Amino acid sequence: KIYFHAFSGKGGVIPSLLSACAKGNLQPEDVFFGFAPAIPNFYAPKTPSVMKRIGINQLLIETDLEDASRTWEDLIEGVRGISDAFDLDVEDVADIT
């Protein structure tokens, strides 16, 4: 398995990343991409379409906070961002991711 931490790339790069991973015998379902509200790109206009291109089952929510006191709130914000991108209920996103 491989994990792209705090992914901020464009949607168009996803196929080439998956292709590179396949050369190492990694299947697409073993490739994960993290998104964190603490990273400014989480709020970029391109982010929902990038998330959709990746697919919800390959997304991981990150906090990427130095202060653990806001961890729970940050995770909730991440779930909300993904639920908005996929037009899903927050509860469904929390179960999937």
Side-chain angles (χ1 to χ4, degrees), residues 45-63:
K46 70 174 182 168
T47 300
S49 64
V50 172
M51 289 178 176
K52 288 178 187 174
R53 183 108 187 228
I54 292 167
I56 194 165
N57 291 318
Q58 302 320 116
L59 298 182
L60 298 175
I61 300 167
E62 302 178 17
T63 61

Side-chain angles (χ1 to χ4, degrees), residues 10-52:
K10 296 179 181 176
V13 76
I14 304 298
S16 61
L17 289 173
L18 294 176
S19 177
C21 290
K23 290 178 182 176
N25 293 320
L26 287 168
Q27 299 302 311
E29 60 270 13
D30 292 328
V31 181
F32 298 91
F33 298 82
F35 289 86
I39 306 297
N41 252 7
F42 186 81
Y43 302 100
K46 70 174 182 168
T47 300
S49 64
V50 172
M51 289 178 176
K52 288 178 187 174

